[in-house]
Amino acid sequence: MVLINNYAKKISSFIKYKDNEITFPWGAITDLRQIGQGGSGLVYSGKYNDNDVILKFFYKNSSSNDFERFKNEYFNIQLLENAEKTHLASYINFDSIEIEDDLFFLYIMKRYKSTLKDYVLVYTGDKSELCEKVLYFLLKSLKQIHSKDIIHRDLKPENILVDCNDKFYLSDFGIAKYCDNSMTKVGDRLANYKFSAPEQSEKGTPITKSADIFALGQLIFWLLEGHTYAGTLDIDEYENNLIKPLLIKCLKYNVEERFQSIEEIEEFIEAEKRRLARIESMHQSELIYEKRLEANRLFTDLIRHSYPNSHSHISVIESEAYFNRVLTDLNAFINKYIGRIDIWYSTGWSNQILKNINYDVESNIVQLMLKDLNLVLEFSLEQIWLYADVSDYTSLYILKIKNLEPYEINDKKTYYKSIVNGEIEVDTNDIRSGYLELGETNGVIRVDTHIDFERYNGEDQYIAIGPLFLGAVYHRNEDFLHDLQDVDLTEEVVKGFIKNIRSHKLEIV
Ligand SMILES: Nc1ncnc2c1ncn2[C@@H]1O[C@H](COP(=O)(O)OP(=O)(O)O)[C@@H](O)[C@H]1O
Ligand SMILES: [Mg+2]
């Protein structure tokens, strides 16, 4: 201690005597002010021309091995290409001055805005975002020094410098051991000890890169918890659920159990990210599956509600009054779940989403309005087959349809009719040009809007209705449905159909 104080006194009296200015052969540093007394020596801020710089003095004479090592590491860092030291603090010069027969070494570096220690005190942003930023900074910066076989040995918030763009830089690598313990102030040593690896305080234990990895763990722990790790890691789950398993392996007291290199941590993070993404996508597909089951469940409930007798019982209805009730119910269902559950019709080989359904009891005409097509499909009804199964998936809603006579427009028969501009009824074929011919003397009008009607005149007689993943509508079963078109439905046939569609279970996507 005496020695330290003597050295410190010598340097500070000298600077005072020189009017806060030191003149080197290459120029003068002015406005010198002491800003700290770190583990390794005195720290001054000053100015070189108009630039803010920092001067760090070492108390040691040049015979020490540690000092040799520091010098080597300092030069090794200078030898890195610029791109290889983007996360390391910028050192400007290495020099020495003689004060009353004592030679003091010093280096000059850029003065940064702050250190991580002060930065967290004024930081108001998101904590886990900062954690992630510091973690990636430490990985990158340690990789840069470890690539030159330099072990930092003294990672702590004070040695992470912050510039005015909130970018971090690592400083003071390789100097921790430079000041031997007998010369460290008691308070400092205790303070440093909190971040450094346990093996660093055991005499004679070789220090590996893994010591820096312990300190990395401590820094992240400290950011999250406000204090360093002392043996209990009952941290809560953080937003970033990668952090906890990472910390567990960084903070092992036993060196062998710890990550051995930054590359190992990076591989761990990648693997963990992949694992979490897998869990997430499994979760997503389960959610989708749940949604499909839910749609089938609600639709089965609609069948039951429309015709309770259909519960677990293949039923067929054949009267207009029942048609009306059941289809009105279906229309209400479509409108209630619009945007959430699409209801499809399928004949096996063709299908569409329904927008609306209309039934006219008097004429026994069904109008299906198809989504996106602006088309109304018309037919008449013979039967509705209903079955509400306990499994939901095999519930049935099948219309047996009968083709209507074609429209008669201007004494011509057609299956395609359009209402043009809200008033004129025409054959759809007559407006395909976008214009409507009204006759020699009446001229031509432009078709601004039209609603199209089609009297169904296909071969199919059965239309299954339901959500897209209901067994009867599900695309994997379309051949089974298509095969029904040529037979007359009976309970036996329907049973066979149900058995077939059951063979294609709805799977988790
Ligand atoms: N380049 C720099 N720019 C700004 N402040 C610095 C710089 N280097 C050191 N400091 C400040 O000086 C203090 C003492 O530095 P140092 O001798 O490295 O001891 P320690 O890192 O143990 O605090 C640091 O805590 C920091 O606040
Ligand atoms: Mg420092």
Side-chain angles (χ1 to χ4, degrees):
M1 288 306 267
V2 177
L3 213 52
I4 287 185
N5 287 338
N6 280 348
Y7 285 144
K9 235 180 248 158
K10 231 176 194 175
I11 296 167
S12 62
S13 327
F14 174 77
I15 290 173
K16 249 178 237 148
Y17 171 73
K18 292 279 184 186
D19 263 344
N20 301 324
E21 206 173 304
I22 300 179
T23 308
F24 296 95
W26 44 266
I29 305 280
T30 61
D31 295 334
L32 284 166
R33 311 221 181 289
Q34 190 184 329
I35 62 160
Q37 184 159 6
S40 44
L42 276 178
V43 184
Y44 276 80
S45 70
K47 280 198 179 291
Y48 178 67
N49 296 332
D50 259 341
N51 303 306
D52 288 322
V53 294
I54 289 283
L55 247 66
K56 283 197 167 191
F57 291 92
F58 294 91
Y59 298 138
K60 199 72 185 206
N61 57 46
S62 56
S63 67
S64 154
N65 282 341
D66 291 333
F67 181 68
E68 280 303 310
R69 196 193 59 213
F70 169 69
K71 261 193 313 184
N72 289 340
E73 293 184 353
Y74 174 85
F75 281 102
N76 275 338
I77 292 295
Q78 303 315 308
L79 288 173
L80 285 171
E81 296 295 329
N82 280 338
E84 297 173 306
K85 52 182 175 187
T86 47
H87 301 284
L88 308 183
S90 157
Y91 291 82
I92 297 165
N93 202 2
F94 192 76
D95 218 320
S96 62
I97 52 167
E98 206 178 322
I99 306 173
E100 295 168 15
D101 300 337
D102 275 317
L103 191 62
F104 291 99
F105 290 96
L106 62 102
Y107 62 74
I108 300 164
M109 68 187 296
K110 171 180 166 168
R111 181 175 188 183
Y112 288 84
K113 187 184 80 177
S114 172
T115 69
L116 183 62
K117 189 178 184 175
D118 298 324
Y119 183 77
V120 293
L121 297 177
V122 294
Y123 179 79
T124 51
D126 181 67
K127 193 156 118 179
S128 60
E129 229 167 73
L130 178 64
C131 254
E132 221 165 286
K133 183 174 166 188
V134 172
L135 172 64
Y136 286 106
F137 157 74
L138 286 171
L139 293 175
K140 286 186 202 131
S141 56
L142 286 177
K143 211 165 155 182
Q144 294 184 329
I145 63 166
H146 286 181
S147 75
K148 290 290 159 202
D149 288 325
I150 296 168
I151 300 166
H152 192 293
R153 297 180 174 80
D154 193 22
L155 268 183
K156 55 181 180 177
E158 295 91 322
N159 283 339
I160 295 172
L161 302 172
V162 188
D163 74 7
C164 38
N165 297 317
D166 291 1
K167 189 172 182 284
F168 300 144
Y169 298 88
L170 191 58
S171 82
D172 292 353
F173 22 82
I175 66 168
K177 266 300 209 101
Y178 165 58
C179 58
D180 68 45
N181 286 344
S182 63
M183 292 184 64
T184 312
K185 285 189 294 156
V186 176
D188 275 349
R189 199 176 77 217
L190 288 179
N192 297 2
Y193 177 66
K194 281 187 172 173
F195 288 89
S196 59
E199 66 270 20
Q200 285 181 261
S201 54
E202 285 164 26
K203 253 195 150 60
T205 312
I207 302 303
T208 64
K209 290 171 187 169
S210 169
D212 284 347
I213 287 169
F214 182 91
L216 174 151
Q218 281 290 34
L219 271 161
I220 302 300
F221 189 97
W222 168 79
L223 276 175
L224 290 167
E225 298 288 292
H227 58 89
T228 48
Y229 169 72
T232 31
L233 206 143
D234 55 345
I235 47 175
D236 313 323
E237 291 301 329
Y238 295 110
E239 246 169 77
N240 183 340
N241 39 11
L242 228 152
I243 294 287
K244 193 172 180 174
L246 185 87
L247 286 187
I248 289 175
K249 210 170 167 193
C250 286
L251 291 171
K252 292 281 184 201
Y253 284 157
N254 190 339
V255 185
E256 285 94 64
E257 292 176 48
R258 224 178 276 156
F259 291 113
Q260 298 301 305
S261 67
I262 299 297
E263 285 77 8
E264 206 182 297
I265 298 183
E266 288 176 334
E267 279 161 27
F268 174 85
I269 290 176
E270 284 314 309
E272 193 68 5
K273 270 189 186 161
R274 279 197 300 274
R275 193 180 68 82
L276 292 171
R278 260 201 315 278
I279 291 174
E280 175 61 16
S281 85
M282 261 166 59
H283 185 65
Q284 286 302 327
S285 58
E286 262 166 36
L287 282 182
I288 292 170
Y289 181 69
E290 288 295 327
K291 255 172 116 173
R292 291 175 181 178
L293 291 184
E294 173 76 353
N296 287 351
R297 196 185 63 69
L298 290 168
F299 193 74
T300 300
D301 203 51
L302 163 79
I303 298 174
R304 240 178 246 124
H305 176 265
S306 297
Y307 194 66
N309 205 30
S310 65
H311 178 72
S312 289
H313 179 248
I314 295 166
S315 319
V316 59
I317 54 176
E318 304 189 295
S319 80
E320 276 88 358
Y322 273 132
F323 294 162
N324 190 36
R325 182 218 282 179
V326 169
L327 293 177
T328 306
D329 230 14
L330 174 62
N331 195 44
F333 184 93
I334 291 172
N335 285 303
K336 180 174 175 188
Y337 292 105
I338 197 157
R340 281 196 286 155
I341 302 175
D342 282 339
I343 297 300
W344 290 69
Y345 90 76
S346 172
T347 62
W349 289 1
S350 81
N351 55 23
Q352 289 291 342
I353 300 174
L354 301 183
K355 187 179 169 190
N356 243 312
I357 190 158
N358 248 330
Y359 180 66
D360 182 57
V361 191
E362 293 296 312
S363 58
N364 185 24
I365 292 181
V366 180
Q367 292 187 310
L368 291 188
M369 256 152 270
L370 306 183
K371 202 179 153 188
D372 307 327
L373 280 185
N374 214 16
L375 177 70
V376 180
L377 202 60
E378 294 185 337
F379 46 78
S380 117
L381 262 191
E382 280 194 3
Q383 295 176 327
I384 300 182
W385 288 81
L386 294 171
Y387 174 58
D389 196 357
V390 279
S391 90
D392 300 332
Y393 174 71
T394 37
S395 295
L396 297 183
Y397 196 122
I398 296 177
L399 310 183
K400 181 175 186 188
I401 66 171
K402 201 169 71 188
N403 294 0
L404 288 162
E405 289 300 310
Y407 305 107
E408 266 200 45
I409 297 171
N410 302 331
D411 298 329
K412 263 185 357 193
K413 287 187 195 305
T414 175
Y415 289 99
Y416 307 96
K417 171 178 91 173
S418 295
I419 311 269
V420 172
N421 299 348
E423 48 178 0
I424 313 169
E425 202 177 79
V426 296
D427 185 329
T428 306
N429 292 315
D430 293 342
I431 55 164
R432 302 228 187 261
S433 65
Y435 294 92
L436 177 61
E437 171 74 64
L438 293 176
E440 210 167 10
T441 48
N442 294 333
V444 170
I445 59 164
R446 204 177 68 185
V447 177
D448 292 321
T449 62
H450 60 106
I451 305 171
D452 302 330
F453 293 81
E454 179 183 334
R455 287 242 152 128
Y456 184 73
N457 65 333
E459 306 274 291
D460 297 335
Q461 54 174 344
Y462 294 107
I463 294 181
I465 290 180
L468 191 57
F469 293 94
L470 188 74
V473 181
Y474 191 25
H475 68 274
R476 296 184 67 198
N477 293 324
E478 60 188 22
D479 284 342
F480 298 134
L481 181 59
H482 184 73
D483 288 347
L484 291 189
Q485 302 299 348
D486 304 326
V487 286
D488 270 341
L489 285 197
T490 60
E491 202 176 322
E492 277 318 298
V493 174
V494 171
K495 270 185 189 156
F497 177 63
I498 290 173
K499 203 172 147 202
N500 282 336
I501 63 178
R502 200 172 272 142
S503 67
H504 287 146
K505 277 254 153 49
L506 182 58
E507 286 159 352
I508 293 196
V509 276

